Coordinates of all heavy atoms in Angstrom, one line a residue:
M95 N -3.9 7.3 12.9 CA -3.1 8.2 12.1 C -2.1 7.3 11.3 O -1.4 6.6 11.9 CB -2.4 9.2 13.0 CG -1.6 10.1 12.3 SD -0.6 11.3 13.3 CE -1.7 11.8 14.6
S96 N -2.1 7.5 10.0 CA -1.1 6.8 9.2 C 0.3 7.3 9.4 O 0.5 8.4 9.9 CB -1.5 6.9 7.7 OG -1.1 8.2 7.2
R97 N 1.2 6.4 9.1 CA 2.6 6.8 9.3 C 3.0 8.0 8.4 O 3.7 8.9 8.9 CB 3.5 5.6 8.9 CG 5.0 5.9 9.1 CD 5.8 4.7 8.7 NE 5.7 3.7 9.7 CZ 6.6 3.4 10.7 NH1 7.7 4.0 10.7 NH2 6.3 2.5 11.5
Q98 N 2.5 8.2 7.2 CA 2.8 9.3 6.4 C 2.2 10.6 7.0 O 2.9 11.6 7.0 CB 2.2 9.1 5.0 CG 2.6 10.2 4.0 CD 2.1 10.0 2.6 OE1 1.2 9.1 2.4 NE2 2.7 10.7 1.7
T99 N 1.0 10.5 7.5 CA 0.4 11.7 8.2 C 1.2 12.1 9.4 O 1.4 13.2 9.7 CB -1.1 11.4 8.6 OG1 -1.8 11.0 7.4 CG2 -1.7 12.6 9.2
R100 N 1.6 11.0 10.2 CA 2.3 11.3 11.4 C 3.7 12.0 11.0 O 4.1 12.8 11.8 CB 2.6 10.0 12.1 CG 3.3 10.1 13.4 CD 4.7 9.7 13.2 NE 5.6 10.0 14.3 CZ 6.3 11.1 14.4 NH1 6.1 12.0 13.6 NH2 7.1 11.3 15.4
N101 N 4.3 11.6 9.9 CA 5.6 12.2 9.5 C 5.4 13.6 9.0 O 6.3 14.5 9.2 CB 6.3 11.4 8.5 CG 6.8 10.1 9.1 OD1 7.0 10.0 10.3 ND2 7.0 9.1 8.3
L102 N 4.3 13.9 8.3 CA 4.1 15.2 7.7 C 3.4 16.2 8.7 O 3.6 17.5 8.5 CB 3.2 15.1 6.5 CG 3.9 14.5 5.3 CD1 2.9 14.3 4.1 CD2 5.1 15.3 4.8
L103 N 2.7 15.8 9.7 CA 2.0 16.7 10.6 C 2.9 17.7 11.2 O 2.6 18.9 11.2 CB 1.2 15.9 11.6 CG 0.2 16.6 12.4 CD1 -0.8 17.3 11.6 CD2 -0.5 15.7 13.4
P104 N 4.0 17.4 11.8 CA 4.9 18.4 12.4 C 5.4 19.4 11.4 O 5.5 20.6 11.8 CB 6.1 17.6 13.0 CG 5.6 16.2 13.1 CD 4.5 16.0 12.1
F105 N 5.7 19.0 10.2 CA 6.1 19.9 9.2 C 5.1 21.0 8.9 O 5.4 22.2 8.9 CB 6.3 19.1 7.9 CG 6.7 20.0 6.7 CD1 8.1 20.3 6.5 CD2 5.8 20.5 5.8 CE1 8.4 21.1 5.4 CE2 6.1 21.3 4.8 CZ 7.5 21.6 4.5
F106 N 3.8 20.6 8.8 CA 2.7 21.6 8.5 C 2.3 22.4 9.8 O 1.8 23.5 9.6 CB 1.6 20.9 7.8 CG 1.9 20.5 6.4 CD1 2.0 19.1 6.1 CD2 2.1 21.4 5.5 CE1 2.3 18.8 4.8 CE2 2.4 21.1 4.2 CZ 2.5 19.7 3.8
L107 N 2.4 21.8 10.9 CA 2.1 22.5 12.2 C 3.0 23.7 12.4 O 2.6 24.7 13.0 CB 2.1 21.6 13.4 CG 0.9 20.6 13.5 CD1 1.1 19.7 14.7 CD2 -0.4 21.4 13.7
G108 N 4.3 23.6 12.0 CA 5.2 24.6 12.2 C 5.0 25.8 11.3 O 5.4 26.9 11.7
I109 N 4.3 25.7 10.2 CA 4.2 26.8 9.2 C 3.4 27.9 9.8 O 3.8 29.1 9.8 CB 3.6 26.2 7.9 CG1 4.6 25.3 7.2 CG2 3.2 27.4 7.0 CD1 4.1 24.6 6.0
P110 N 2.2 27.7 10.3 CA 1.4 28.9 10.9 C 2.1 29.5 12.0 O 2.0 30.8 12.2 CB 0.0 28.3 11.2 CG 0.2 26.8 11.3 CD 1.4 26.5 10.4
M111 N 2.8 28.8 12.9 CA 3.5 29.4 14.0 C 4.6 30.2 13.5 O 4.9 31.3 14.0 CB 4.0 28.3 14.9 CG 2.9 27.4 15.5 SD 1.7 28.3 16.5 CE 2.7 28.8 17.9
A112 N 5.4 29.8 12.5 CA 6.5 30.5 11.9 C 6.0 31.8 11.3 O 6.5 32.9 11.4 CB 7.3 29.7 11.0
A113 N 4.8 31.7 10.6 CA 4.2 32.9 9.9 C 3.8 33.9 11.0 O 3.9 35.1 10.8 CB 3.1 32.4 9.0
W114 N 3.3 33.4 12.1 CA 2.8 34.3 13.1 C 4.0 35.0 13.7 O 3.9 36.3 13.9 CB 2.1 33.5 14.2 CG 1.7 34.2 15.4 CD1 0.8 35.2 15.5 CD2 2.2 34.0 16.7 NE1 0.8 35.7 16.8 CE2 1.6 34.9 17.6 CE3 3.1 33.1 17.3 CZ2 1.9 35.0 18.9 CZ3 3.4 33.1 18.6 CH2 2.7 34.1 19.5
V115 N 5.1 34.4 13.9 CA 6.3 35.0 14.5 C 6.8 36.1 13.5 O 7.2 37.2 13.8 CB 7.4 34.0 14.8 CG1 8.7 34.7 15.1 CG2 7.0 33.1 16.0
A116 N 6.9 35.7 12.2 CA 7.4 36.6 11.2 C 6.5 37.8 11.0 O 6.9 38.9 10.9 CB 7.5 35.9 9.8
W117 N 5.2 37.6 11.1 CA 4.2 38.6 11.0 C 4.4 39.6 12.2 O 4.2 40.8 12.0 CB 2.8 38.1 11.0 CG 1.7 39.1 10.9 CD1 0.9 39.6 11.9 CD2 1.3 39.8 9.7 NE1 0.0 40.5 11.3 CE2 0.3 40.6 10.0 CE3 1.8 39.7 8.4 CZ2 -0.3 41.5 9.1 CZ3 1.2 40.5 7.4 CH2 0.1 41.4 7.8
D118 N 4.7 39.1 13.4 CA 4.9 40.0 14.5 C 6.1 40.9 14.4 O 6.2 41.9 15.0 CB 5.1 39.2 15.8 CG 3.7 39.0 16.5 OD1 2.7 39.5 16.1 OD2 3.8 38.3 17.6
L119 N 7.1 40.5 13.5 CA 8.3 41.3 13.3 C 8.1 42.4 12.3 O 9.0 43.2 12.1 CB 9.4 40.4 12.9 CG 9.9 39.4 13.9 CD1 10.9 38.4 13.3 CD2 10.4 40.1 15.2
R120 N 7.0 42.5 11.6 CA 6.8 43.4 10.5 C 6.9 44.9 11.0 O 7.3 45.7 10.2 CB 5.5 43.2 9.8 CG 4.3 43.7 10.6 CD 3.0 43.3 10.0 NE 1.8 43.8 10.7 CZ 1.3 43.4 11.8 NH1 1.9 42.4 12.5 NH2 0.3 44.0 12.4
G121 N 6.6 45.2 12.2 CA 6.6 46.6 12.7 C 8.0 47.1 13.2 O 8.2 48.2 13.5
Y122 N 9.0 46.2 13.1 CA 10.3 46.6 13.6 C 11.3 47.1 12.5 O 12.4 47.4 12.8 CB 10.9 45.4 14.4 CG 10.2 45.1 15.7 CD1 9.2 44.1 15.7 CD2 10.4 45.8 16.8 CE1 8.5 43.8 16.8 CE2 9.7 45.5 18.0 CZ 8.8 44.5 18.0 OH 8.1 44.3 19.1
G123 N 10.9 47.1 11.3 CA 11.7 47.6 10.2 C 12.9 46.7 9.9 O 13.9 47.2 9.5
L124 N 12.8 45.4 10.2 CA 13.9 44.5 9.9 C 14.0 44.2 8.4 O 13.0 44.2 7.7 CB 13.8 43.2 10.7 CG 13.8 43.3 12.2 CD1 13.4 42.0 12.8 CD2 15.2 43.8 12.7
P125 N 15.2 44.0 7.9 CA 15.3 43.6 6.5 C 14.6 42.2 6.3 O 14.5 41.4 7.2 CB 16.8 43.4 6.3 CG 17.5 44.0 7.5 CD 16.5 44.1 8.6
A126 N 14.2 42.0 5.1 CA 13.4 40.8 4.7 C 14.2 39.6 5.0 O 13.6 38.5 5.5 CB 12.9 40.9 3.3
D127 N 15.5 39.6 4.7 CA 16.3 38.3 4.9 C 16.4 38.0 6.4 O 16.4 36.8 6.8 CB 17.6 38.4 4.3 CG 18.5 39.6 4.8 OD1 17.9 40.5 5.4 OD2 19.7 39.6 4.5
S128 N 16.4 39.0 7.3 CA 16.4 38.7 8.7 C 15.1 38.1 9.2 O 15.0 37.2 10.0 CB 16.7 40.0 9.5 OG 18.0 40.5 9.2
V129 N 14.0 38.7 8.7 CA 12.6 38.2 9.0 C 12.5 36.7 8.5 O 12.0 35.9 9.2 CB 11.5 39.1 8.4 CG1 10.2 38.4 8.7 CG2 11.6 40.4 9.1
L130 N 13.0 36.5 7.3 CA 13.0 35.1 6.8 C 13.8 34.2 7.6 O 13.4 33.1 7.9 CB 13.5 35.1 5.3 CG 13.6 33.7 4.6 CD1 12.2 33.2 4.5 CD2 14.3 33.8 3.3
A131 N 15.0 34.6 8.1 CA 15.8 33.8 8.9 C 15.1 33.4 10.2 O 15.1 32.3 10.7 CB 17.2 34.4 9.1
V132 N 14.5 34.4 10.8 CA 13.8 34.2 12.1 C 12.6 33.3 11.9 O 12.3 32.4 12.7 CB 13.4 35.5 12.7 CG1 12.5 35.3 13.9 CG2 14.6 36.3 13.2
G133 N 11.9 33.5 10.8 CA 10.7 32.7 10.4 C 11.1 31.2 10.2 O 10.5 30.3 10.7
L134 N 12.2 31.0 9.5 CA 12.7 29.6 9.3 C 13.1 29.0 10.6 O 12.9 27.8 10.9 CB 13.8 29.6 8.3 CG 13.4 29.9 6.9 CD1 14.7 30.0 6.0 CD2 12.5 28.8 6.3
M135 N 13.8 29.8 11.5 CA 14.2 29.2 12.8 C 13.0 28.9 13.6 O 12.9 27.8 14.3 CB 15.1 30.3 13.5 CG 15.6 29.9 14.9 SD 14.4 30.1 16.3 CE 13.9 31.8 16.0
A136 N 12.0 29.8 13.6 CA 10.7 29.5 14.3 C 10.1 28.2 13.8 O 9.6 27.4 14.5 CB 9.8 30.7 14.3
W137 N 10.0 28.1 12.4 CA 9.4 26.9 11.8 C 10.2 25.6 12.3 O 9.5 24.6 12.7 CB 9.5 27.0 10.3 CG 9.1 25.7 9.7 CD1 7.8 25.2 9.5 CD2 10.0 24.7 9.2 NE1 7.9 24.0 8.9 CE2 9.2 23.7 8.7 CE3 11.4 24.6 9.1 CZ2 9.7 22.5 8.1 CZ3 11.9 23.5 8.6 CH2 11.1 22.4 8.1
A138 N 11.5 25.7 12.3 CA 12.3 24.5 12.7 C 12.0 24.2 14.2 O 11.8 23.0 14.5 CB 13.8 24.8 12.5
C139 N 11.9 25.2 15.0 CA 11.7 24.9 16.5 C 10.3 24.4 16.7 O 10.1 23.4 17.4 CB 11.9 26.2 17.3 SG 13.6 26.7 17.4
F140 N 9.3 25.0 16.1 CA 7.9 24.5 16.3 C 7.7 23.1 15.7 O 7.0 22.3 16.3 CB 6.9 25.5 15.8 CG 6.8 26.8 16.6 CD1 7.1 28.0 16.1 CD2 6.4 26.7 17.9 CE1 7.0 29.1 16.8 CE2 6.3 27.8 18.7 CZ 6.6 29.1 18.1
S141 N 8.3 22.9 14.5 CA 8.1 21.6 13.9 C 8.8 20.5 14.7 O 8.2 19.4 14.9 CB 8.7 21.6 12.5 OG 8.0 22.4 11.7
R142 N 9.9 20.8 15.3 CA 10.6 19.8 16.1 C 9.9 19.5 17.4 O 9.8 18.4 17.9 CB 12.1 20.3 16.4 CG 12.9 19.4 17.3 CD 13.2 18.1 16.5 NE 14.0 17.2 17.4 CZ 13.8 15.9 17.5 NH1 12.9 15.3 16.7 NH2 14.5 15.2 18.3
A143 N 9.3 20.6 18.0 CA 8.5 20.5 19.2 C 7.3 19.6 19.0 O 7.0 18.7 19.7 CB 8.1 21.8 19.8
A144 N 6.6 19.9 17.8 CA 5.4 19.1 17.5 C 5.8 17.6 17.2 O 5.1 16.7 17.7 CB 4.8 19.6 16.3
D145 N 7.0 17.4 16.6 CA 7.4 16.0 16.3 C 7.7 15.3 17.6 O 7.4 14.1 17.8 CB 8.7 16.1 15.5 CG 9.2 14.7 15.1 OD1 8.3 13.9 14.6 OD2 10.4 14.4 15.2
L146 N 8.3 16.0 18.6 CA 8.6 15.3 19.9 C 7.4 15.0 20.6 O 7.2 14.0 21.3 CB 9.5 16.3 20.7 CG 11.0 16.4 20.2 CD1 11.7 17.5 21.1 CD2 11.7 15.1 20.3
L147 N 6.4 15.9 20.6 CA 5.1 15.7 21.3 C 4.4 14.5 20.7 O 3.8 13.7 21.4 CB 4.2 16.9 21.3 CG 4.7 18.1 22.2 CD1 3.9 19.3 22.0 CD2 4.7 17.6 23.7
I148 N 4.3 14.5 19.4 CA 3.6 13.4 18.7 C 4.4 12.0 18.9 O 3.7 11.0 19.2 CB 3.5 13.7 17.2 CG1 2.5 14.8 17.0 CG2 3.0 12.4 16.4 CD1 2.5 15.4 15.6
S149 N 5.7 12.1 18.9 CA 6.5 10.9 19.1 C 6.3 10.3 20.5 O 6.3 9.1 20.7 CB 8.0 11.1 18.8 OG 8.2 11.5 17.5
A150 N 6.2 11.2 21.5 CA 6.1 10.8 22.9 C 4.8 10.0 23.1 O 4.8 9.1 24.0 CB 6.0 12.0 23.8
R151 N 3.8 10.2 22.3 CA 2.5 9.5 22.4 C 2.6 8.1 21.9 O 1.9 7.2 22.3 CB 1.4 10.2 21.7 CG 1.0 11.5 22.4 CD -0.2 12.1 21.8 NE -1.3 11.1 21.8 CZ -2.3 11.1 20.9 NH1 -2.3 11.9 20.0 NH2 -3.2 10.2 21.0
T152 N 3.5 7.9 20.9 CA 3.6 6.6 20.2 C 4.8 5.8 20.5 O 4.9 4.6 20.0 CB 3.5 6.8 18.7 OG1 4.6 7.6 18.3 CG2 2.2 7.5 18.3
Q153 N 5.7 6.3 21.3 CA 7.0 5.6 21.6 C 6.9 4.6 22.8 O 6.1 4.9 23.7 CB 8.1 6.6 21.9 CG 8.7 7.2 20.7 CD 9.8 8.1 21.0 OE1 10.0 8.5 22.2 NE2 10.7 8.4 20.1
T154 N 7.7 3.6 22.7 CA 7.9 2.7 23.9 C 9.3 2.9 24.3 O 10.2 2.9 23.4 CB 7.6 1.3 23.4 OG1 6.3 1.1 23.0 CG2 7.8 0.3 24.6
V155 N 9.5 3.0 25.6 CA 10.9 3.2 26.1 C 11.2 2.0 27.0 O 10.5 1.7 27.9 CB 11.0 4.5 26.9 CG1 12.4 4.7 27.4 CG2 10.6 5.7 26.0
H156 N 12.4 1.4 26.7 CA 12.9 0.3 27.5 C 14.2 0.9 28.2 O 15.1 1.3 27.5 CB 13.2 -0.9 26.7 CG 12.0 -1.5 26.1 ND1 11.0 -2.0 26.8 CD2 11.7 -1.7 24.8 CE1 10.0 -2.5 26.0 NE2 10.4 -2.3 24.8
R157 N 14.3 0.8 29.5 CA 15.4 1.3 30.2 C 16.1 0.1 30.9 O 15.6 -0.9 31.2 CB 15.0 2.3 31.3 CG 14.4 3.5 30.7 CD 14.1 4.6 31.8 NE 13.8 5.9 31.3 CZ 12.6 6.2 30.8 NH1 11.6 5.4 30.8 NH2 12.4 7.4 30.3
C158 N 17.4 0.4 31.2 CA 18.2 -0.6 32.0 C 17.6 -0.6 33.4 O 17.2 0.4 34.0 CB 19.6 -0.1 32.1 SG 20.7 -1.1 33.1
P159 N 17.4 -1.8 33.9 CA 16.7 -2.0 35.2 C 17.5 -1.3 36.4 O 17.0 -1.1 37.5 CB 16.6 -3.5 35.4 CG 17.5 -4.1 34.5 CD 17.7 -3.1 33.4
D160 N 18.8 -1.1 36.2 CA 19.6 -0.5 37.2 C 19.4 1.0 37.2 O 19.6 1.7 36.2 CB 21.1 -0.8 36.9 CG 22.0 -0.3 38.1 OD1 21.6 0.5 38.9 OD2 23.2 -0.7 38.1
S161 N 18.9 1.5 38.3 CA 18.5 3.0 38.4 C 19.7 3.9 38.2 O 19.5 5.1 37.9 CB 17.7 3.3 39.7 OG 18.6 3.0 40.8
R162 N 20.9 3.4 38.4 CA 22.1 4.2 38.3 C 22.6 4.3 36.9 O 23.5 5.1 36.6 CB 23.2 3.7 39.2 CG 22.9 3.7 40.7 CD 23.8 2.9 41.5 NE 23.7 1.5 41.1 CZ 24.4 0.5 41.5 NH1 25.3 0.7 42.4 NH2 24.2 -0.8 41.1
C163 N 22.0 3.5 36.0 CA 22.4 3.5 34.6 C 21.4 4.2 33.7 O 20.2 4.2 33.9 CB 22.5 2.0 34.1 SG 23.0 1.8 32.4
S164 N 21.9 5.0 32.8 CA 21.0 5.9 32.0 C 20.7 5.3 30.6 O 20.1 6.0 29.8 CB 21.7 7.3 31.8 OG 22.9 7.1 31.1
F165 N 21.1 4.0 30.4 CA 20.8 3.4 29.1 C 19.4 3.3 28.8 O 18.6 2.8 29.7 CB 21.5 2.1 29.0 CG 21.4 1.4 27.6 CD1 22.2 1.7 26.6 CD2 20.4 0.5 27.4 CE1 22.1 1.1 25.4 CE2 20.2 -0.1 26.2 CZ 21.1 0.2 25.2
S166 N 18.9 3.7 27.7 CA 17.5 3.5 27.3 C 17.4 3.3 25.8 O 18.3 3.8 25.0 CB 16.6 4.6 27.8 OG 17.0 5.8 27.1
V167 N 16.3 2.7 25.3 CA 16.0 2.5 23.9 C 14.6 3.0 23.7 O 13.7 2.6 24.4 CB 16.1 1.0 23.5 CG1 15.8 0.8 22.1 CG2 17.5 0.4 23.9
R168 N 14.5 3.9 22.7 CA 13.1 4.4 22.3 C 12.7 3.7 21.0 O 13.5 3.8 20.0 CB 13.2 5.9 22.1 CG 13.5 6.6 23.4 CD 13.5 8.1 23.3 NE 13.9 8.8 24.5 CZ 13.0 9.0 25.5 NH1 11.7 8.7 25.3 NH2 13.4 9.6 26.6
L169 N 11.5 3.2 21.0 CA 11.0 2.5 19.8 C 9.7 3.1 19.4 O 8.9 3.5 20.2 CB 10.8 1.0 20.1 CG 12.0 0.2 20.6 CD1 11.5 -1.1 21.1 CD2 13.1 0.1 19.6
S170 N 9.4 3.0 18.1 CA 8.1 3.4 17.6 C 7.8 2.6 16.3 O 8.8 2.3 15.5 CB 7.9 4.9 17.3 OG 8.8 5.3 16.3
G171 N 6.6 2.1 16.2 CA 6.2 1.4 15.0 C 6.8 0.0 14.9 O 7.1 -0.5 13.8
V172 N 7.0 -0.7 16.1 CA 7.5 -2.0 16.1 C 6.5 -3.0 16.6 O 5.6 -2.6 17.4 CB 8.8 -2.2 16.9 CG1 9.9 -1.3 16.3 CG2 8.6 -1.8 18.3
D173 N 6.6 -4.2 16.3 CA 5.6 -5.2 16.8 C 6.0 -5.7 18.2 O 7.1 -5.3 18.7 CB 5.4 -6.4 15.8 CG 6.7 -7.1 15.5 OD1 7.7 -6.9 16.2 OD2 6.7 -8.0 14.6
A174 N 5.2 -6.6 18.8 CA 5.5 -7.0 20.1 C 6.8 -7.8 20.2 O 7.5 -7.7 21.2 CB 4.3 -7.8 20.6
A175 N 7.1 -8.6 19.2 CA 8.3 -9.4 19.3 C 9.5 -8.6 19.2 O 10.5 -8.8 20.0 CB 8.3 -10.4 18.1
E176 N 9.5 -7.6 18.4 CA 10.6 -6.7 18.2 C 10.8 -5.8 19.5 O 11.9 -5.6 20.0 CB 10.4 -5.7 17.0 CG 11.6 -4.8 16.8 CD 12.8 -5.5 16.1 OE1 12.6 -6.7 15.8 OE2 13.8 -4.9 16.0
S177 N 9.7 -5.4 20.1 CA 9.7 -4.6 21.3 C 10.3 -5.5 22.5 O 11.2 -5.0 23.3 CB 8.3 -4.2 21.7 OG 8.4 -3.4 22.9
R178 N 9.9 -6.8 22.5 CA 10.4 -7.7 23.5 C 11.9 -7.9 23.3 O 12.7 -8.0 24.3 CB 9.7 -9.0 23.4 CG 10.2 -10.1 24.4 CD 9.8 -9.7 25.8 NE 10.4 -10.7 26.7 CZ 10.8 -10.4 27.9 NH1 10.6 -9.2 28.4 NH2 11.3 -11.3 28.7
R179 N 12.4 -8.0 22.1 CA 13.8 -8.2 21.8 C 14.6 -7.0 22.3 O 15.7 -7.1 23.0 CB 14.0 -8.4 20.3 CG 15.5 -8.8 20.0 CD 15.6 -9.1 18.5 NE 15.7 -7.9 17.7 CZ 16.8 -7.2 17.5 NH1 17.9 -7.6 18.1 NH2 16.8 -6.2 16.7
W180 N 14.1 -5.8 22.1 CA 14.8 -4.6 22.6 C 14.7 -4.4 24.1 O 15.6 -3.9 24.7 CB 14.3 -3.3 21.9 CG 14.8 -3.2 20.5 CD1 14.2 -3.5 19.3 CD2 16.1 -2.8 20.2 NE1 15.1 -3.3 18.3 CE2 16.3 -2.8 18.8 CE3 17.2 -2.4 20.9 CZ2 17.4 -2.5 18.1 CZ3 18.4 -2.0 20.2 CH2 18.5 -2.1 18.9
Q181 N 13.7 -5.0 24.7 CA 13.6 -5.0 26.1 C 14.7 -5.8 26.7 O 15.3 -5.5 27.7 CB 12.2 -5.4 26.6 CG 12.0 -5.4 28.1 CD 10.7 -5.8 28.5 OE1 10.0 -6.7 27.8 NE2 10.2 -5.3 29.6
E182 N 14.9 -7.0 26.1 CA 16.0 -7.9 26.5 C 17.4 -7.2 26.3 O 18.3 -7.3 27.2 CB 15.9 -9.2 25.8 CG 14.7 -10.0 26.2 CD 14.5 -11.2 25.3 OE1 15.3 -11.4 24.4 OE2 13.5 -11.9 25.5
V183 N 17.5 -6.5 25.2 CA 18.8 -5.8 25.0 C 19.0 -4.7 26.1 O 20.1 -4.6 26.6 CB 18.8 -5.1 23.6 CG1 19.9 -4.1 23.4 CG2 18.8 -6.2 22.5
A184 N 18.0 -4.0 26.4 CA 18.1 -3.0 27.5 C 18.4 -3.6 28.8 O 19.1 -2.9 29.6 CB 16.8 -2.2 27.6
H185 N 18.0 -4.8 29.1 CA 18.2 -5.4 30.4 C 19.6 -6.0 30.4 O 20.1 -6.3 31.5 CB 17.2 -6.5 30.7 CG 15.9 -5.9 31.1 ND1 15.3 -6.2 32.3 CD2 15.1 -4.9 30.6 CE1 14.2 -5.5 32.5 NE2 14.1 -4.7 31.5
A186 N 20.2 -6.3 29.3 CA 21.6 -6.9 29.3 C 22.5 -6.2 28.3 O 23.1 -6.9 27.4 CB 21.4 -8.4 29.0
H187 N 22.5 -4.9 28.3 CA 23.3 -4.2 27.3 C 24.8 -4.2 27.7 O 25.2 -4.2 28.9 CB 22.8 -2.8 27.1 CG 22.9 -2.0 28.4 ND1 24.0 -1.2 28.6 CD2 22.2 -1.8 29.5 CE1 23.9 -0.5 29.7 NE2 22.8 -0.9 30.3
P188 N 25.6 -4.1 26.7 CA 27.1 -4.0 26.9 C 27.3 -2.5 27.4 O 26.5 -1.6 27.3 CB 27.7 -4.2 25.6 CG 26.7 -3.9 24.6 CD 25.4 -4.2 25.2
H189 N 28.4 -2.3 28.0 CA 28.8 -1.0 28.5 C 27.9 -0.5 29.6 O 27.6 0.7 29.7 CB 28.9 0.1 27.4 CG 29.6 -0.4 26.2 ND1 31.0 -0.6 26.2 CD2 29.2 -0.6 24.9 CE1 31.4 -1.0 25.0 NE2 30.3 -1.0 24.2
H190 N 27.5 -1.4 30.4 CA 26.6 -1.1 31.6 C 27.4 -0.1 32.5 O 28.5 -0.4 32.8 CB 26.2 -2.3 32.3 CG 25.4 -2.1 33.5 ND1 24.1 -1.6 33.5 CD2 25.7 -2.2 34.8 CE1 23.6 -1.4 34.7 NE2 24.6 -1.8 35.5
R191 N 26.8 1.0 32.9 CA 27.5 2.0 33.7 C 27.1 2.1 35.1 O 27.2 3.0 35.8 CB 27.2 3.4 33.0 CG 27.7 3.6 31.6 CD 29.2 3.8 31.6 NE 29.7 4.1 30.3 CZ 30.7 3.5 29.7 NH1 31.4 2.6 30.4 NH2 31.1 3.8 28.5
G192 N 26.4 1.0 35.6 CA 26.1 1.0 37.0 C 27.3 1.0 37.9 O 28.3 0.3 37.6
V193 N 27.3 1.7 39.0 CA 28.5 1.8 39.8 C 28.2 1.2 41.1 O 27.1 1.2 41.7 CB 28.8 3.3 40.1 CG1 30.0 3.4 41.0 CG2 29.1 4.0 38.8
Ligands
LIG441 ZN1 22.8 -0.4 32.4

């Protein structure tokens, strides 16, 4: 999957889901602007959810080795050298919160 396809896919996946939600509201006699607002909200939610799911498949996460510290770095689209550099950053990051 190309980077452009990966960036546009969540945008287009949200459209039919938002249309489905807006279509379900047609029987309730709501004003058109309310249906539009709900449809746009549904589009934003479904698009964001699709983006998170797609990103989860392609991301690399480097965490602080201390289990008490919540520091992490999420990367996508980087080469091995860049990933290794961020792994070292995660292992020796400033503001370590281990207690
Ligand atoms: Zn840490």
